[in-house]
C-alpha cells in the first residue's frame, strides 16, 4: 500500500469543497488540522476571534469525520502540539510516513512561504473560493495606469451576470451610492444580527481561550457568533429577511448605542469559508428581483462582496509580500494607547474602540472614518495600524485587512487601492453619527481647548503633505478652503495641532 498524503486545512479554509479536499482521496488521504500558538499569537488577536476560529475548526473537523474523512486534529492544549503550522505538518508527516502534503494556498504570504520552505513536498493549490482568480485579476490589472475598484466591479458584474439586464446594469446604473448616505435615527427599533448560544464544544474552547489569552485586548464573553456552516447560513438568511432592505441607505451611518445598524456581520463567516460569496450575492439579487429590497441596498451590498472583497484580494497578491511594510507618507508615530482600550475624551473613538473591545466588530465607516481617519491624520506608523486591525476584528485575515488598512485607510501604498486619502474633519463624523453630542470636544470649534481633534489634525495633515496632494483634483477644494482662511487663523490651527500631537506622543489623555 502506498503512503497516504496529508491534506492540510487551515482555520480559514473551512469549506467542504476547498481545493485541497477536492484534490484528495477520502479513502486513503488524511486531513490535518491544528490549533497552534503561533497563529493565535503572531499578533495579539481578540479573544473572541481566536475562540471563533478554534470553535469553527472543531465543528468543521467533526463534519469532515462524519462525511467519512480521517482527520488528525490537534487541540491547542495537546501536550504533543508543536506550536506552529509547519511544526504540526512535520510531526504528522513523521507519524504517518506521508510523502506529500496537499494544501490550499493560504491567504497570507507569511504562511505561503512557511509551507514552501518545508522539507517535504507541499502542493499549494489555488484557493478558488473567490469569484476572480489571482490570474484573472492580474490579467485585468495588466497595463492599466491605475487600478480602480469601480471598473473592476463593472467587469465582475458582466462576468457573473449579477444585477445585469443583458449588457446593461439592472435599473440603468452601476452604482446607487448617492441614495446611500443617510444618517440614522437613534430612537428607531432595528432588528440586530442573528446570534447563537455556544454549545458544549464551543464552551470548551471559550474556557481554553480564557485561560490562555486573558491578557489580550477584547472581551471573550458573551460569545454569540455562529461557528458552523448552518449557523452562518442562518445568520445570513436573517440579514436577508430583516436587515438588507435598510443596508443601503444607512451604510455610512454610526450610532453610539447600535454597533451593527443594518450591516450584515458576515465578514467572519465569508472569510473562514462558512459562507459562499457567489451564493450570498445571488440571494441578495433575488431579494431585489422578488421585490423585498430596494435596488440601492441590493447593489450596495453586492458591490462590497463582488467588487471590494475581490478587488482587495487581487491587490494583496499582485503587490507582493512587501505590501505590508509600505509607508509612502513616512508616518512614524506610535499607535496611541486608547486603541488598546486606554482612556480618550473623543466620544467617537471611545465608541468605535469600545464596541471593538466588546464585539470584535466595527462597521466599515467606523474603521475608515473614525479609527483609520484618526491614525492617518495623526501620522501613526501604518505597520502598527495594520497590526491593530489584523488583531482586533473577528473577520480580519491579512489578504483582506492589509489592502483596506494600508491602502484604503492609511494611503501607505501611495494610491494603489484609493486615488486619494480618506481624511475628514469632525464635520463628517457629526453628519453621519450621534457621537459629537456627548463629546468632551466641540465639533464646530476649529481652535481652542475644546476644538475637535479631527479638525486640528485634518488641516495639519493637508499642510504637511501639501506637495504630494495639492495637485490631486479630488483634493483641490480642500486646499482652496484652507488658503481662504485668515493667516493668523491658519497659524493658530497648526500650532494647536502641533501641541495636540506632542500630547499624544507624551501619552497624555486626548
Ligand atoms: P457589511 O458592511 O455588511 O458588508 C458585507 C460584506 O461585504 C462584508 O462582510 C465583506 O465581506 C464585504 N466588504 C465590505 N466592504 C469591504 C471592503 N472594503 N473590503 C473587502 N470586503 C468588503 N473586511 C474584512 O473582511 N476583513 C478585514 O480585516 C477588514 N479590515 C478592514 C480594515 C479597514 C481599515 C477598513 C476601512 C475596512 C476593513 N474591512 C475588512 C472592510 C469592511 O470594513 C468589513 O468587511 C466590514 O465592516 C465587515 O462587516 P460586515 O460583515 O457587517 O459587512
Ligand atoms: C487566525 C488563525 C488563528 C487565530 N488560529 C489558527 C489556528 O490555530 N490554526 C489554523 O490553522 N489557523 C488559524 N488561524 C488562521 C490562519 O492564521 C490563516 O490561515 C491565515 O491567517 C491565512 O489567512
Ligand atoms: Fe469625534 Fe470630534 Fe465629534 Fe468628539 S467632536 S465625537 S472627537 S468628531
Amino acid at each position: 500500500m502506498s503512503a497516504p498524503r496529508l491534506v492540510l486545512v487551515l482555520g480559514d479554509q473551512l469549506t467542504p469543497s476547498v481545493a485541497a479536499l477536492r484534490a484528495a482521496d477520502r479513502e486513503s488521504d488524511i486531513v490535518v488540522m491544528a490549533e497552534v500558538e503561533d497563529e493565535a499569537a503572531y499578533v495579539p488577536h481578540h479573544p473572541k476571534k481566536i475562540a471563533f476560529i478554534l470553535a469553527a475548526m472543531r465543528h468543521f473537523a467533526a463534519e469532515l469525520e462524519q462525511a467519512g474523512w480521517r482527520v488528525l486534529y490537534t487541540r491547542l492544549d495537546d501536550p504533543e502540539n508543536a506550536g506552529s503550522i509547519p511544526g504540526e505538518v512535520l510531526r504528522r508527516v513523521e507519524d504517518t510516513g506521508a510523502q506529500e502534503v496537499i494544501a490550499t494556498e493560504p491567504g497570507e504570504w507569511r504562511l505561503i512561504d512557511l509551507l514552501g520552505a518545508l522539507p517535504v513536498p507541499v502542493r499549494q493549490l489555488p484557493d478558488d473560493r473567490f469569484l476572480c482568480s489571482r490570474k484573472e485579476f492580474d490579467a485585468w490589472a495588466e497595463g492599466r495606469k491605475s487600478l480602480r475598484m469601480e471598473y473592476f466591479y463593472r467587469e465582475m458584474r458582466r462576468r457573473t451576470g449579477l444585477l445585469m439586464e443583458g449588457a446593461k446594469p439592472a435599473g440603468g446604473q452601476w452604482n446607487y451610492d448617492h441614495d446611500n448616505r443617510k444618517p440614522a435615527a437613534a430612537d428607531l427599533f432595528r432588528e440586530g444580527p442573528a446570534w447563537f448560544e455556544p454549545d458544549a464544544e464551543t464552551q470548551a474552547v471559550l474556557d481554553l481561550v480564557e485561560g490562555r489569552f486573558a491578557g489580550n485586548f477584547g472581551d471573550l464573553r458573551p460569545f454569540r457568533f455562529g461557528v458552523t456552516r448552518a449557523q452562518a447560513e442562518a445568520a445570513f438568511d436573517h440579514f436577508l429577511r430583516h436587515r438588507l432592505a435598510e443596508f443601503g441607505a444607512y451604510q455610512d451611518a454610526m450610532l453610539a448605542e447600535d454597533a451593527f445598524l443594518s450591516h450584515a456581520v458576515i465578514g467572519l463567516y465569508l472569510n473562514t469559508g462558512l459562507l459562499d460569496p457567489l451564493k450570498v450575492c445571488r440571494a441578495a439579487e433575488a431579494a431585489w428581483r422578488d421585490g423585498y429590497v430596494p435596488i440601492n441596498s441590493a447593489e450596495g451590498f453586492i458591490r462590497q462582496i463582488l467588487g471590494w472583497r475581490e478587488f482587495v484580494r487581487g491587490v494583496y497578491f499582485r503587490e507582493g509580500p512587501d505590501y505590508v511594510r509600505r509607508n509612502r507618507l513616512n508616518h512614524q508615530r506610535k499607535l496611541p494607547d486608547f486603541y488598546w482600550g486606554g482612556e480618550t475624551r473623543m466620544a467617537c473613538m471611545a465608541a468605535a474602540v469600545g464596541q471593538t473591545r466588546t464585539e470584535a466588530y466595527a462597521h466599515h465607516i467606523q474603521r475608515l472614518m473614525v479609527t483609520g481617519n484618526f491614525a492617518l491624520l495623526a501620522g501613526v506608523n501604518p505597520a502598527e495600524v495594520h497590526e491593530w486591525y489584523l488583531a482586533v476584528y473577528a473577520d480580519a485575515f491579512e489578504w483582506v485587512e492589509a489592502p483596506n488598512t494600508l491602502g484604503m485607510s492609511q494611503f501607505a501604498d501611495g494610491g494603489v487601492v484609493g486615488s486619494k486619502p480618506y481624511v475628514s474633519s469632525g464635520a463628517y463624523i457629526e453628519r453621519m453619527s450621534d457621537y459629537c453630542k456627548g463629546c468632551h470636544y466641540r465639533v464646530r470649534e476649529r481652535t481652542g481647548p475644546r476644538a475637535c481633534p479631527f479638525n486640528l489634525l485634518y488641516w495639519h495633515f493637508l499642510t504637511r503633505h501639501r506637495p504630494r496632494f495639492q495637485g490631486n483634483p479630488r483634493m483641490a477644494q480642500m486646499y482652496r478652503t484652507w488658503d481662504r482662511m485668515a493667516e493668523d487663523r491658519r497659524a493658530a490651527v497648526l500650532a494647536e495641532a502641533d501641541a495636540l500631537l506632542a500630547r499624544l506622543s507624551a501619552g497624555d489623555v486626548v
Side-chain angles (χ1 to χ4, degrees):
M1 213 171 91
S2 61
R5 296 176 302 180
L6 298 185
V7 187
L8 179 65
V9 176
L10 296 170
D12 55 355
Q13 299 179 341
L14 310 180
T15 313
S17 59
V18 75
L21 286 169
R22 283 208 322 276
D25 182 346
R26 182 178 320 221
E27 300 301 317
S28 53
D29 296 333
I30 304 173
V31 174
V32 169
M33 296 179 71
E35 302 171 3
V36 293
E37 182 73 20
D38 272 13
E39 293 307 308
Y42 76 101
V43 293
H45 294 292
H46 195 299
K48 265 199 174 82
K49 176 184 185 185
I50 301 175
F52 164 66
I53 292 172
L54 301 193
M57 285 175 69
R58 288 187 186 189
H59 285 85
F60 185 69
E63 277 173 33
L64 289 180
E65 278 171 345
Q66 257 175 15
W69 289 94
R70 186 174 163 212
V71 182
L72 294 176
Y73 191 94
T74 309
R75 291 180 174 226
L76 197 60
D77 53 357
D78 280 347
E80 314 275 279
N81 193 323
S84 70
I85 297 289
E88 274 299 290
V89 170
L90 285 182
R91 184 166 78 88
R92 297 305 193 182
V93 164
E94 269 174 33
D95 290 353
T96 58
Q99 303 284 319
E100 190 192 4
V101 179
I102 312 175
T104 309
E105 188 177 71
E108 198 175 328
W109 288 110
R110 176 185 60 87
L111 269 178
I112 294 177
D113 293 347
L114 284 173
L115 293 184
L118 278 172
V120 59
V122 180
R123 190 144 54 96
Q124 298 193 45
L125 302 169
D127 187 348
D128 52 14
R129 296 173 299 166
F130 292 87
L131 304 172
C132 180
S133 70
R134 284 178 57 184
K135 261 196 185 150
E136 286 166 335
F137 186 85
D138 290 347
W140 173 82
E142 194 53 41
R144 284 173 197 264
K145 256 177 52 206
S146 64
L147 308 182
R148 288 297 154 248
M149 194 291 294
E150 188 62 34
Y151 297 112
F152 169 78
Y153 166 59
R154 291 180 190 181
E155 180 66 24
M156 292 300 289
R157 291 266 296 273
R158 289 191 196 96
R159 221 187 266 177
T160 56
L162 275 161
L163 289 180
M164 294 299 290
E165 275 150 13
K168 297 219 168 83
Q173 285 169 226
W174 291 105
N175 181 316
Y176 290 84
D177 253 358
H178 58 80
D179 299 334
N180 287 357
R181 299 200 176 104
K182 292 201 180 122
D187 55 352
L188 268 189
F189 171 76
R190 262 176 224 93
E191 187 88 36
W195 300 125
F196 304 90
E197 272 297 307
D199 64 6
E201 188 65 90
T202 302
Q203 288 291 1
V205 168
L206 294 179
D207 292 342
L208 179 68
V209 170
E210 193 156 53
R212 290 215 177 198
F213 303 102
N216 288 18
F217 168 82
D219 298 347
L220 177 62
R221 299 175 205 264
F223 183 90
R224 314 184 283 180
F225 292 140
V227 295
T228 63
R229 176 170 316 280
Q231 289 176 334
E233 282 170 359
F236 175 63
D237 190 56
H238 180 270
F239 166 73
L240 205 63
R241 281 186 292 121
H242 302 291
R243 307 171 64 241
L244 172 61
E246 302 244 289
F247 173 87
Y250 301 110
Q251 224 181 111
D252 292 359
M254 298 175 278
L255 289 176
E257 296 301 323
D258 188 341
F260 307 102
L261 284 123
S262 297
H263 289 271
V265 198
I266 56 165
L268 72 173
Y269 305 134
L270 282 167
N271 297 346
T272 46
L274 298 180
L275 282 180
D276 174 54
L278 185 58
K279 268 198 196 161
V280 160
C281 291
R282 292 233 185 275
E285 177 180 24
W288 167 66
R289 291 204 188 274
D290 294 344
Y292 298 117
V293 306
I295 192 156
N296 62 308
S297 283
E299 188 282 316
F301 177 75
I302 288 172
R303 174 159 25 93
Q304 307 312 317
I305 295 174
L306 181 67
W308 278 112
R309 187 169 184 269
E310 297 288 330
F311 179 77
V312 297
R313 178 172 183 266
V315 166
Y316 177 76
F317 282 112
R318 186 166 190 268
E319 292 297 312
D322 86 302
Y323 188 81
V324 295
R325 289 186 288 279
R326 293 194 196 165
N327 186 359
R328 185 63 72 86
L329 300 181
N330 192 25
H331 282 170
Q332 301 297 346
R333 187 174 309 283
K334 194 176 154 301
L335 190 72
D337 282 348
F338 54 73
Y339 280 81
W340 297 109
E343 199 187 332
T344 173
R345 295 193 183 107
M346 292 181 278
C348 53
M349 291 295 295
V353 173
Q355 71 168 74
T356 299
R357 177 206 281 275
T358 54
E359 310 291 350
Y361 179 85
H363 71 65
H364 187 66
I365 293 301
Q366 294 173 307
R367 298 186 205 196
L368 188 64
M369 300 311 291
V370 179
T371 46
N373 188 14
F374 187 86
L376 178 59
L377 294 178
V380 176
N381 185 325
E384 287 199 34
V385 186
H386 158 58
E387 178 176 308
W388 185 77
Y389 281 99
L390 187 56
V392 301
Y393 292 115
D395 55 37
F397 296 89
E398 195 173 280
W399 63 267
V400 53
E401 176 277 329
N404 269 296
T405 303
L406 293 147
M408 186 188 302
S409 167
Q410 300 300 298
F411 208 77
D413 65 4
V416 178
V417 169
S419 57
K420 77 171 194 32
Y422 278 96
V423 284
S424 80
S425 67
Y428 176 86
I429 296 175
E430 187 195 22
R431 190 164 67 249
M432 296 313 301
S433 80
D434 62 355
Y435 296 146
C436 300
K437 284 188 301 205
C439 188
H440 164 86
Y441 296 104
R442 308 267 185 269
V443 70
R444 304 276 167 92
E445 289 179 18
R446 282 184 175 170
T447 50
R450 291 290 181 103
C452 166
F454 284 83
N455 294 348
L456 294 172
L457 296 179
Y458 175 70
W459 297 119
H460 195 274
F461 173 91
L462 289 177
T463 305
R464 69 180 189 265
H465 292 300
R466 184 162 194 149
R468 182 180 298 279
F469 294 126
Q470 70 177 350
N472 184 327
R474 297 184 63 203
M475 297 179 74
Q477 180 56 40
M478 303 172 183
Y479 283 105
R480 276 199 292 274
T481 306
W482 174 244
D483 290 342
R484 276 200 300 269
M485 249 187 249
E487 200 171 329
D488 57 339
R489 184 97 170 140
R490 278 185 276 155
V493 167
L494 294 180
E496 289 190 23
D498 277 330
L500 178 78
L501 290 172
R503 290 208 303 281
L504 264 185
S505 296
D508 294 352
V509 174
V510 165

